[in-house]
Amino acid sequence: CSKELDQEPRSILEETFYNTAAEAEAAVNAIFPPIRLGAQGIASYNATLECHSDYAYGRGSWAQFNDFSGLDATNTNRVGDFWNSFYLAIRNANLVIRHVPEGNAMNDEEKNRYVAEAKFMRAWCYFHLVRNWGGVPLRIESNMEEKDVPRSSVEEVYALIDADLRFAESYLPEDNAAQPGRPTKWMAKTVLSDYLLTNNKYQEARDKALELVQSGLFSLVPIQQVDDFERIFGAGVGVTDEEVFHFKYTREGQGNYYPFIINHPETGYFMKGGGKGAYAQYSNVNNNFYKEWSDLDLRKQLWYPMNIGLGEGTVLQKKFIDPAAANEYGAINDFPVYRYAEVLLLFAEAEARVNGVTAEALDALNQVKRRAYGREINTASDIDYQIGSFSPETLIDSILQERAYEFQFEGKRWFDLKRTGKAAEILQKNKGVAIADKHYLWPIPLAELNYNQGITENNPGY
Amino acid sequence: QEIPTPTIPGDTTNTKTQDTITGIVRDEQGNALPGVSVMVKGKPNTGTTTDPNGRYKATVGGNTILVFSYTGYGSKEERIGKRKEVDVVLRAEQEALEEVVVIGYGSVKKRDLTGSVAQVKATEINAFPTSNALQSLSGRAPGVQVYQGSGAPGPAMSVRIRGANSILGSNEPLYVVDGFPLSGSNPTILNNADIESMEILKDASATAIYGSRGANGVVIITTKQGGVEGTGSATQVDFEANYGIQQIRKKLDLMTGPEYATFYNLRAANDGVTPYFTQEQINNLPSFDWQDFIFRSAPIKSTSLNIGGGNERTQFSVGGSVLAQDGIIKGSDYDRYSLRGSIQHQISDKLTVDANATLSRLITGRKDSNGGARGNSLISSILGAPPALTPYDDNGGYRLLSNAFNIAAPDIINPLNWINEETNKTEANLVLANAAVTYKPISDINIKLLTGIENRDDRENMYRTNRYQGSTGEAKITANNEQSRLVELTANYNKIWNERHNFSALAGVTYQDFINSYVMGSGQGFISNVSGWDNLGGALVPLVPASGYNKSTLLSYLARVNYTLDDKYLFTVSFRADGSSRYRTDSRWGYFPSGAFAWRVSQEDFMKDHNWISDLKLRVSWGKTGTQIEDFYPTFNPLAGGYTVFGQDLHLAFAPETDLPNRDLKWETTEQIDAGLDFGVLDNRLVFTADYYRKTTKDLLNAVPLPTSMGYATTFQNVGQIRNSGVELGLNANIFKGDFKWDVTANIAFNRSKVLKLYAGADIFGDELKMNVVSDSRTILREGLQRGLFFGYLEDGYDEEGQIKYKDLNGDGSISNADRTVIGNPNPDFIYGLNSSMSYKNFDFTFFIQGMTGNDIFNASSIGSTVDYVSGLNMVRDVLNNHWTPENPNAKYPVISNTVNARVSDRWIEDGSFLRLRNIQLAYNLPVEKFNLGWLKRLQVYVSGQNLLTLTNYSWYDPEMPSSGSDYLSYPIAKTYTFGVKAGF
């Protein structure tokens, strides 16, 4: 009679999954949604990072991020959501790393590939966690179900990132043409280069970036006028020559939320006719960054004036627009995590830091600038940076400034300001805000402090 | 005045001794009873009724037995013999000593009860119109608390019997309808008029027979059945109809348009920003009352018809009802159509068959009405909408509130969007049917095979038009099926030896399964709104469909023995073994024993001299019951399907959801002792009941929150122990008899909970509040304290800038998590109910008071309207008049500024005590006997009011809360004026 009590759940279970390549692939795919999608994912995260920059401001509840005067519950909660999203992705990566090697219907090559994909994403998540929160609890496949895990040191987190990325570099495929956006060796090398540069390991950072430059697989998309940026960032452009690591979107509930955050309902840039858009980020022509910027730079023309009741000179950005989006979660612009322009600038900076002012560094830098001014990318032009005008320090400054122009609204600037130790100085100069030490790191979410007995201290100042 | 006396046609079976019998039927007070059914036993078709003077006339044979029956009175049989005149006295049923109480898998005489069982009868259940029969339990029985957390039409009620034992699981009692243990919580399938009685089993000796589902008490609902088995009675027809008007009980005092502008100019001044409004603008601003605009008077109508009767071998009951309730928010409504039938038939002396079936259709129209913040939900937008704005713009469209002023919240939505452009309609079809065959091989033994099915198909339809702000049209349909099947075989044995030993035994085996499944389809982007949700294929963006299936089974063995010695010493023991598919093999079976002893002291010889004591019984009981985990597969880790995108294509993704499974889960068990006293004096004119109980729940299941870095939010653990103990007192008094009658029933109950043990002694935080200005957990479970306490910061006035200061409890110089403490207690000190019913001649006057005392409410509803100054929301007027300024440093509200320093603090805790006049009613019984209409037996008209008076200090809409004690922008509860009619034919 007790047989009646036996269960056969009609669900896919952790206990019985991860055997075939298709199952492993679906498990890897689950790493992406928490960070790609919705109001807790990359879009809001990116918006938050941009509010910390010297050129952009947040409207309404986002304003606190550019004020650097502390976070209220709304924003403590908001950054807590990003923590949650990264760790949810890490859990899903850990499940792959734990179970796939035991899969009974895959060969070793397949197993290594999926584990490499998971390790790549895990490293990428920890790279963001460590820069925003410092030493965080390291959850890996062996301790993922332990409740209380103390914070590791920053060095320990980077050690895991290093190990994961090197595994990924070894076992990821070169090509993802069948599924653009899946991790490749080149993506691993790019993240390696970025993390190494962040950790002052310039020689190796230079070499990793150089491998991409020399691969001949990537090039900048040329433009002539401001609307041509659509060829890089526009809705539905597909895979460009410049793409290294992008999050991909489709309309069916799988859209990019960021265009909703930045666009204004009256411009028609987003959901034309539907009238949505939070215009939560803006800048002002009186900001020093903006004032000192050459009007010839087509990237500056992405800013357009709009009165949103926040005073004269307010400008909004049209870098990511999708007039055909069906709803706020329906834009299909890629989110560029790494573009070839960044590889060039990673190379240029690392090269300059290792070898000083070199023609190679200048060339990489000039390629990015020429494209932005609508010039031939590989032809010397009147707007080029000139080799004779630089010391190594001023070259590095120019590269950082070029990064600031090039990656606006791509979430790079705040990390650049922090890693170079110039955040306080530049934010004071361009935005007129003073920044206290505590604002370099975000608070660990209350839910983590309440339930993880291994963590006894929040970041300083919280 | 001479009127023809009704006559029963001759008894043709015995023509030899035809005689005319006459007589008068009276009640115990000597009043003549008109309309009493009189008939020859076994010949139901030949009945008559008494005339307005209570007289009857029958021409029958001498050997006949006449049966007299009348609603509300015990029926009586009289063997005629050689008498010519037979006068009869019928006893009102409440006073009948041989009252029977339904218990699990059987029934007992009320006087033979050993456990703690409360009974609520049809008259109380039907006292005033309610859309959920459980509402009528409120205040009726000691220790039974009914929570109505929302005033939305057709609400799900929540019932707590003797406090809440479980943290994770449901604390709802088990509902058993005509022997069928329901799978869902609320018996919404039934209409009040369908119900004959509800028995509430409270102590473990009564509930242990339901084993793993008994820990929260059991409510046994018996629907109306036809006449009494073996007697037959005249067909009775009861009709009831009523009409009520519901209105919002209270409005909140919010700012006017000019006040609103003044307020935000004040904020600008405090923050050193240019004022938003010029004085001229302020003077010309309109004042729009959004509350008046949205809340309306709404009707509630109900009609029911019940027909019952039968003969000696077959009895039937058929009932139908319609309830239509509109909510006080337009577009919210609830309609219930139900049809019920029952039939019993005696095939032979040994074989009886009976069947019950209820069919209902429930249509619920919902308006988004819970939670949210800053105007992104209906209630919060009604409160937050700037009074300086009208609902329509110059073109007649819905005004966009979010960018009307630069200060407005980006998320505020014009409430008309929800009212007019979004429809949420759930259509549910419910069936509850069972059939049983009873076989009596010998007179002492009864074997019953019962099978039943409960089925609920509901379809939730949602459509948001393309006129809704920012919407391109959205449609979603979810079809759910919940099904439970039951097979039950029980055997009963009853025997009396030597008139001293009364022995009965029950044994049985039951099998019940529970199956849930659903399918969901949705789409976005509709060019036309004409088809609503009925054309998903017309969506520009079809969304991914979903479906799911769950099944669990419960296999049980049960037994019970009752033994009474000399009608003085009563013993009950019971046992149930439950095997549940929800646990792994080694912890699958749970065993639930109980025992009880009662001593009827009043029956002892030494009490003979105390005639004034009519009943004195002492009871003690002990037993174990369980709580089943709600999750069907709690020990497995299911992976949920989703998608990610590579290239331009969707790719499948599978990952666990938020619960980390615990493979070692075991049963949660509750051990309860009860000691009670039943005391009746003066022929039971005054009946007093008292109970003391102590319930200890062990291996308490709980969702233990996990740090978010795990990626899982919770896991289930058998973490601890909770104790509930308390005292319940009940009083039933017939103060006056005779022309002026006055009955009073009253009850009061005191319950205290205590958390005895938690996993690793660690606090458990819960009830995460996520509003923009305040986000934190707000409840705590801590060893040694009551359950469900509110937890947060204590305020300590204001700093020199007018920002809220908090007490630094640990003295470390900064405010952190460690400075939180208990700030409130949602558990009442006591709950009570008082029902008074008076009648004089043809008038009945009743009122019913109910309330609770000493409980706190966490008023999250007020957060947006009192401290969220960031987003241009409207505020309660008090904020404008009573905020911090250097001159007013002890103000109620902080400085009006863009920076708000609010936390989960004692600011939100309010005294939630209330005393409510639940119902007041004046009824007039028309003197139908004077109308000389044979077919009309009774006709009553009444006017009544529900919730007309509420005494409370609570500041928001209504103090009636969900059991958590948390008010979070819920749908306001209404007051109602009702007119009704009841008729009997």
Side-chain angles (χ1 to χ4, degrees):
Chain A
C1 231
S2 277
K3 226 176 146 79
E4 291 295 337
L5 300 178
D6 290 339
Q7 284 193 319
E8 286 168 23
R10 277 152 76 164
S11 317
I12 290 174
L13 302 171
E14 184 196 342
E15 289 83 348
T16 53
F17 202 60
Y18 310 101
N19 287 316
T20 66
E23 289 175 351
E25 185 177 305
V28 168
N29 293 348
I31 302 167
F32 292 84
I35 39 187
R36 280 176 60 240
L37 291 175
Q40 285 83 44
I42 188 85
S44 300
Y45 171 67
N46 187 57
T48 306
L49 293 175
E50 286 299 302
C51 289
H52 281 334
S53 76
D54 50 334
Y55 48 74
Y57 301 85
R59 187 177 75 95
S61 64
W62 298 80
Q64 285 196 326
F65 293 114
N66 49 261
D67 289 346
F68 292 101
S69 59
L71 301 181
D72 65 7
T74 307
N75 286 321
T76 301
N77 204 40
R78 189 175 269 157
V79 298
D81 284 341
F82 309 145
W83 167 286
N84 301 351
S85 297
F86 284 123
Y87 270 112
L88 185 53
I90 287 169
R91 180 199 70 176
N92 294 348
N94 282 333
L95 284 167
V96 173
I97 299 164
R98 178 161 84 172
H99 290 297
V100 165
E102 309 296 322
N104 60 23
M106 273 180 284
N107 60 37
D108 284 350
E109 190 187 334
E110 289 166 329
K111 287 178 183 176
N112 281 332
R113 180 205 169 148
Y114 294 117
V115 171
E117 290 184 340
K119 288 191 167 180
F120 169 75
M121 287 307 296
R122 182 168 77 175
W124 182 82
C125 289
Y126 274 119
F127 187 33
H128 284 271
L129 283 166
V130 72
R131 285 181 291 174
N132 289 312
W133 284 276
V136 292
L138 267 190
R139 293 202 176 267
I140 58 172
E141 64 278 13
S142 56
N143 71 351
M144 59 181 293
E145 289 182 0
E146 280 171 32
K147 184 168 156 291
D148 303 322
V149 175
R151 299 178 69 167
S152 292
S153 68
V154 169
E155 293 71 28
E156 287 164 335
V157 178
Y158 275 116
L160 178 77
I161 292 169
D162 187 86
D164 277 355
L165 288 175
R166 288 179 198 281
F167 184 93
E169 187 189 17
S170 305
Y171 291 104
L172 285 175
E174 300 230 354
D175 181 62
N176 65 4
Q179 293 188 25
R182 277 202 101 79
T184 62
K185 212 175 268 297
W186 304 111
M187 286 156 67
K189 288 180 194 296
T190 306
V191 182
L192 263 171
S193 173
D194 193 4
Y195 125 74
L196 290 164
L197 185 70
T198 302
N199 282 270
N200 309 331
K201 295 174 180 165
Y202 303 123
Q203 180 66 49
E204 211 190 344
R206 170 195 174 278
D207 296 346
K208 293 291 174 197
L210 189 59
E211 285 188 53
L212 276 89
V213 174
Q214 291 177 339
S215 72
L217 294 168
F218 306 97
S219 62
L220 298 177
V221 173
I223 64 170
Q224 275 78 47
Q225 56 193 10
V226 64
D227 290 344
D228 292 344
F229 279 112
E230 288 286 283
R231 295 180 191 162
I232 308 168
F233 306 108
V237 294
V239 181
T240 67
D241 292 339
E242 196 167 339
E243 171 177 333
V244 177
F245 176 13
H246 285 194
F247 288 142
K248 299 289 189 175
Y249 297 93
T250 66
R251 297 227 192 272
E252 294 84 6
Q254 291 284 330
N256 184 347
Y257 186 62
Y258 195 56
F260 167 78
I261 294 182
I262 62 169
N263 282 296
H264 193 283
E266 284 166 21
T267 57
Y269 291 145
F270 185 71
M271 282 181 74
K272 194 170 187 176
K276 270 204 178 177
Y279 50 102
Q281 299 197 283
Y282 65 97
S283 190
N284 193 287
V285 296
N286 298 314
N287 174 298
N288 283 328
F289 184 103
Y290 190 90
K291 280 205 274 195
E292 291 167 8
W293 194 353
S294 165
D295 290 336
L296 296 175
D297 192 332
L298 296 173
R299 293 171 298 198
K300 188 178 183 183
Q301 296 171 28
L302 286 168
W303 291 101
Y304 62 93
M306 176 62 102
N307 180 9
I308 56 170
L310 289 169
E312 294 289 302
T314 303
V315 284
L316 300 183
Q317 255 277 7
K318 55 177 180 179
K319 194 170 196 173
F320 298 98
I321 64 172
D322 183 357
N327 58 45
E328 60 260 59
Y329 300 104
I332 53 167
N333 313 71
D334 279 10
F335 186 88
V337 185
Y338 288 99
R339 294 188 279 122
Y340 183 58
E342 179 155 18
V343 173
L344 288 170
L345 294 176
L346 283 172
F347 168 75
E349 182 180 345
E351 166 76 8
R353 289 184 188 271
V354 176
N355 299 321
V357 183
T358 67
E360 287 79 7
L362 255 293
D363 181 55
L365 174 62
N366 277 328
Q367 282 186 47
V368 175
K369 185 174 184 187
R370 284 177 204 135
R371 190 269 298 266
Y373 280 67
R375 309 302 166 97
E376 283 289 326
I377 292 165
N378 290 309
T379 309
S381 81
D382 55 333
I383 52 89
D384 281 7
Y385 291 108
Q386 300 302 322
I387 195 160
S389 64
F390 284 124
S391 70
E393 289 70 34
T394 56
L395 175 57
I396 289 165
D397 285 348
S398 293
I399 292 167
L400 287 166
Q401 189 62 30
E402 195 62 34
R403 284 177 62 93
Y405 293 138
E406 179 67 22
F407 303 124
Q408 290 199 346
F409 283 22
E410 293 177 56
K412 306 289 179 182
R413 180 63 166 169
W414 173 237
F415 294 137
D416 284 350
L417 293 175
K418 284 207 291 185
R419 73 178 162 89
T420 55
K422 293 188 171 174
E425 173 201 333
I426 290 180
L427 283 163
Q428 183 61 253
K429 171 177 162 282
N430 288 340
K431 247 184 186 173
V433 293
I435 152 171
D437 283 350
K438 65 177 267 191
H439 300 131
Y440 290 102
L441 293 177
W442 288 336
I444 288 175
L446 285 177
E448 185 72 26
L449 295 170
N450 282 344
Y451 309 131
N452 182 348
Q453 306 300 320
I455 299 186
T456 50
E457 287 202 13
N458 205 332
N459 282 326
Y462 296 103
Chain B
Q1 185 191 0
E2 197 54 46
I3 47 169
T5 306
T7 304
I8 296 182
D11 182 347
T12 50
T13 56
N14 193 347
T15 48
K16 270 198 288 187
T17 53
Q18 289 269 311
D19 266 320
T20 299
I21 312 293
T22 58
I24 298 184
V25 183
R26 296 188 173 90
D27 66 12
E28 286 169 288
Q29 283 79 43
N31 303 317
L33 290 174
V36 174
S37 149
V38 184
M39 63 183 179
V40 179
K41 185 167 179 182
K43 301 236 171 297
N45 299 330
T46 60
T48 185
T49 53
T50 56
D51 70 7
N53 300 319
R55 277 193 290 190
Y56 72 94
K57 190 177 184 182
T59 310
V60 294
N63 251 347
T64 318
I65 298 173
L66 283 184
V67 182
F68 300 82
S69 53
Y70 189 51
T71 309
Y73 288 78
S75 68
K76 195 158 189 177
E77 297 183 9
E78 286 283 336
R79 188 173 288 278
I80 302 307
K82 292 179 177 165
R83 291 182 288 175
K84 295 277 187 288
E85 243 185 78
V86 180
D87 292 348
V88 174
V89 174
L90 294 184
R91 304 187 74 168
E93 220 160 48
Q94 297 93 302
E95 294 166 44
L97 273 175
E98 296 301 308
E99 227 175 324
V100 165
V101 173
V102 182
I103 57 169
Y105 303 95
S107 60
V108 293
K109 290 175 189 158
K110 195 166 187 179
R111 68 200 300 265
D112 290 345
L113 271 177
T114 53
S116 177
V117 177
Q119 191 179 39
V120 179
K121 301 211 130 177
T123 47
E124 294 165 317
I125 295 162
N126 240 347
F128 56 95
T130 58
S131 57
N132 184 331
L134 294 179
Q135 233 165 327
S136 61
L137 284 184
S138 186
R140 295 294 188 186
V144 179
Q145 179 71 352
V146 178
Y147 290 97
Q148 179 185 2
S150 154
M157 296 281 152
S158 175
V159 175
R160 296 288 174 272
I161 296 174
R162 296 187 163 177
N165 310 311
S166 193
I167 297 167
L168 167 76
S170 160
N171 282 297
E172 289 296 312
L174 174 70
Y175 297 96
V176 180
V177 176
D178 293 331
F180 191 101
L182 295 186
S183 59
S185 58
N186 276 211
T188 46
I189 187 168
L190 295 173
N191 174 41
N192 298 21
D194 294 333
I195 299 174
E196 181 61 43
S197 73
M198 293 203 241
E199 266 84 4
I200 299 147
L201 314 187
K202 296 191 286 190
D203 74 337
S205 84
T207 60
I209 199 74
Y210 288 104
S212 64
R213 293 175 291 176
N216 302 315
V218 179
V219 177
I220 298 191
I221 299 172
T222 309
T223 62
K224 286 191 174 146
Q225 308 288 316
V228 185
E229 192 181 337
T231 64
S233 60
T235 302
Q236 272 194 48
V237 180
D238 290 293
F239 171 80
E240 296 189 22
N242 56 58
Y243 182 91
I245 288 287
Q246 310 157 90
Q247 291 172 348
I248 188 159
R249 207 181 60 75
K250 172 186 172 184
K251 266 175 61 187
L252 297 172
D253 190 19
L254 304 176
M255 297 192 295
T256 63
E259 285 170 338
Y260 171 86
T262 308
F263 179 88
Y264 282 100
N265 273 357
L266 214 53
R267 188 188 87 182
N270 288 340
D271 290 346
V273 184
T274 349
Y276 300 103
F277 302 91
T278 65
Q279 191 55 47
E280 197 196 339
Q281 280 173 319
I282 293 178
N283 296 341
N284 293 321
L285 279 176
S287 283
F288 189 78
D289 190 326
W290 289 88
Q291 292 184 90
D292 281 349
F293 182 61
I294 298 296
F295 296 123
R296 60 174 184 180
S297 285
I300 174 169
K301 295 170 272 193
S302 126
T303 311
S304 69
L305 185 69
N306 267 290
I307 304 169
N311 60 27
E312 202 168 37
R313 289 178 57 184
T314 306
Q315 295 86 40
F316 78 97
S317 170
V318 177
S321 67
V322 178
L323 172 97
Q325 180 183 14
D326 286 349
I328 56 172
I329 293 176
K330 189 182 164 195
S332 59
D333 49 32
Y334 181 61
D335 295 328
R336 181 181 55 218
Y337 307 90
S338 69
L339 183 66
R340 181 190 53 79
S342 83
I343 186 162
Q344 294 95 43
H345 177 71
Q346 204 174 333
I347 299 171
S348 70
D349 287 349
K350 293 189 171 172
L351 212 51
T352 310
V353 62
D354 65 84
N356 290 296
T358 306
L359 313 175
S360 282
R361 178 166 173 81
L362 314 179
I363 304 170
T364 313
R366 287 196 186 81
K367 285 295 159 193
D368 168 285
S369 58
N370 221 333
R374 291 189 176 164
N376 66 8
S377 66
L378 179 52
I379 303 289
S380 78
S381 75
I382 295 169
L383 296 176
L389 293 175
T390 51
Y392 298 100
D393 61 22
D394 297 340
N395 304 321
Y398 304 136
R399 189 183 297 281
L400 207 57
L401 301 182
S402 50
N403 54 5
F405 301 124
N406 289 330
I407 45 177
D411 11 26
I412 193 165
I413 292 178
N414 189 326
L416 287 179
N417 286 285
W418 283 292
I419 300 288
N420 297 336
E421 306 303 338
E422 186 178 295
T423 316
N424 289 287
K425 199 137 248 181
T426 302
E427 301 167 355
N429 296 317
L430 291 79
V431 175
L432 180 64
N434 58 47
V437 177
T438 309
Y439 176 60
K440 280 189 183 183
I442 53 172
S443 67
D444 300 332
I445 292 183
N446 227 321
I447 299 168
K448 186 175 182 184
L449 176 68
L450 179 131
T451 61
I453 187 160
E454 177 194 4
N455 189 74
R456 179 185 175 116
D457 286 296
D458 66 20
R459 199 174 114 153
E460 296 167 35
N461 303 304
M462 191 284 288
Y463 186 71
R464 187 178 269 192
T465 72
N466 56 23
R467 290 184 295 266
Y468 184 103
Q469 184 184 329
S471 166
T472 54
E474 287 171 45
K476 181 177 172 184
I477 298 175
T478 310
N480 297 295
N481 175 258
E482 288 175 25
Q483 204 181 90
S484 174
R485 297 174 297 181
L486 174 75
V487 183
E488 191 178 284
L489 182 65
T490 51
N492 259 298
Y493 175 71
N494 291 294
K495 185 83 184 169
I496 301 175
W497 284 288
N498 305 333
E499 297 186 344
R500 291 190 63 197
H501 308 281
N502 188 340
F503 178 85
S504 72
L506 162 82
V509 54
T510 85
Y511 169 85
Q512 191 170 5
D513 64 19
F514 308 89
I515 298 170
N516 298 339
S517 63
Y518 79 99
V519 56
M520 187 278 287
S522 58
Q524 284 175 350
F526 290 89
I527 52 170
S528 161
N529 297 317
V530 171
S531 51
W533 51 70
D534 286 319
N535 184 11
L536 290 179
L540 178 68
V541 184
L543 301 178
V544 180
S547 62
Y549 175 92
N550 286 315
K551 178 179 177 182
S552 85
T553 51
L554 190 66
L555 178 67
S556 315
Y557 301 93
L558 56 97
R560 180 173 58 212
V561 173
N562 290 307
Y563 170 67
T564 306
L565 176 64
D566 286 337
D567 206 23
K568 277 187 274 192
Y569 311 105
L570 303 92
F571 301 86
T572 306
V573 291
S574 76
F575 179 80
R576 180 165 178 141
D578 272 346
S580 167
S581 68
R582 300 184 187 195
Y583 300 92
R584 299 237 157 168
T585 325
D586 41 358
S587 45
R588 179 167 284 171
W589 284 93
Y591 305 101
F592 307 98
S594 84
F597 167 68
W599 176 29
R600 187 174 297 110
V601 184
S602 53
Q603 208 68 5
E604 294 285 355
D605 291 344
F606 60 80
M607 295 295 288
K608 285 255 159 70
D609 298 336
H610 305 281
N611 278 334
W612 58 280
I613 296 178
S614 42
D615 187 27
L616 176 60
K617 188 164 72 176
L618 304 177
R619 300 176 268 109
V620 289
S621 73
W622 166 91
K624 281 185 173 178
T625 47
T627 304
Q628 202 171 208
I629 191 163
E630 292 199 309
D631 195 326
F632 279 53
Y633 307 110
T635 65
F636 291 98
N637 193 13
L639 306 184
Y643 297 95
T644 195
V645 176
F646 293 115
Q648 293 171 4
D649 307 314
L650 293 179
H651 292 266
L652 277 174
F654 279 99
E657 297 200 64
T658 54
D659 294 329
L660 177 68
N662 175 355
R663 273 113 189 154
D664 307 319
L665 276 188
K666 54 187 177 186
W667 290 89
E668 179 177 307
T669 53
T670 297
E671 190 174 339
Q672 182 174 193
I673 57 165
D674 183 290
L677 162 80
D678 298 327
F679 188 42
V681 297
L682 303 177
D683 202 19
N684 277 359
R685 272 183 77 173
L686 209 59
V687 177
F688 175 74
T689 307
D691 275 276
Y692 167 80
Y693 61 87
R694 202 178 75 192
K695 292 196 290 183
T696 309
T697 305
K698 292 175 181 162
D699 295 328
L700 197 64
L701 288 168
N702 189 44
V704 176
L706 298 173
T708 50
S709 65
M710 284 183 78
Y712 294 101
T714 47
T715 189
F716 301 141
Q717 292 184 350
N718 295 97
V719 279
Q721 284 184 25
I722 277 187
R723 171 178 297 163
N724 278 280
S725 52
V727 171
E728 296 166 351
L729 306 174
L731 181 72
N732 195 338
N734 308 126
I735 298 174
F736 293 112
K737 293 188 169 189
D739 268 359
F740 175 64
K741 255 182 85 177
W742 187 20
D743 294 344
V744 172
T745 57
N747 65 73
I748 187 166
F750 305 80
N751 183 70
R752 293 292 177 277
S753 63
K754 187 174 181 183
V755 179
L756 299 179
K757 208 173 101 195
L758 292 175
Y759 175 72
D763 296 341
I764 295 174
F765 302 93
D767 210 2
E768 205 82 22
L769 181 69
K770 285 200 168 187
M771 291 181 96
N772 306 61
V773 276
V774 179
S775 292
D776 205 342
S777 65
R778 57 183 153 150
T779 60
I780 188 171
L781 284 177
R782 175 174 283 177
E783 286 185 2
L785 301 182
Q786 291 209 50
R787 55 162 291 156
L789 299 181
F790 298 124
F791 193 72
Y793 299 88
L794 291 176
E795 294 197 5
D796 190 16
Y798 300 99
D799 64 15
E800 57 283 356
E801 252 113 47
Q803 294 291 349
I804 303 168
K805 280 203 302 190
Y806 297 94
K807 287 193 176 147
D808 179 16
L809 295 182
N810 68 351
D812 67 351
S814 70
I815 301 300
S816 68
N817 262 354
D819 295 312
R820 293 181 298 169
T821 185
V822 172
I823 55 175
N825 181 355
N827 306 297
D829 293 340
F830 57 91
I831 58 175
Y832 56 91
L834 179 109
N835 187 47
S836 156
S837 121
M838 295 176 217
S839 62
Y840 181 69
K841 298 211 163 151
N842 288 346
F843 289 94
D844 296 341
F845 175 69
T846 55
F847 66 85
F848 176 36
I849 287 169
Q850 190 239 323
M852 58 204 280
T853 295
N855 57 302
D856 291 323
I857 292 175
F858 189 102
N859 185 358
S861 298
S862 69
I863 292 175
S865 307
T866 59
V867 301
D868 194 356
Y869 308 146
V870 178
S871 305
L873 302 169
N874 198 10
M875 296 284 141
V876 298
R877 174 173 289 119
D878 200 26
V879 180
L880 182 63
N881 301 328
N882 196 359
H883 59 266
W884 184 94
T885 58
E887 296 74 40
N888 186 13
N890 299 316
K892 190 165 172 194
Y893 303 101
V895 65
I896 299 169
S897 158
N898 232 330
T899 317
V900 180
N901 182 27
R903 292 172 185 254
V904 168
S905 72
D906 50 349
R907 172 177 292 271
W908 314 116
I909 304 297
E910 293 188 44
D911 180 7
S913 305
F914 70 88
L915 181 154
R916 169 158 272 175
L917 183 59
R918 175 75 59 191
N919 187 42
I920 182 166
Q921 173 168 320
L922 181 66
Y924 177 64
N925 298 295
L926 277 76
V928 285
E929 65 276 11
K930 289 183 186 157
F931 303 164
N932 194 18
L933 299 168
W935 50 271
L936 184 64
K937 290 180 195 159
R938 278 171 297 117
L939 182 61
Q940 185 192 66
V941 293
Y942 64 88
V943 287
S944 69
Q946 288 80 48
N947 300 344
L948 293 192
L949 181 73
T950 303
L951 303 181
T952 181
N953 290 325
Y954 185 58
S955 68
W956 223 248
Y957 282 121
D958 198 88
E960 273 199 74
M961 286 299 126
S963 55
S964 67
S966 189
D967 184 357
Y968 189 5
L969 296 166
S970 50
Y971 193 117
I973 287 174
K975 60 180 177 184
T976 312
Y977 301 93
T978 306
F979 169 78
V981 58
K982 293 182 183 178
F985 308 102

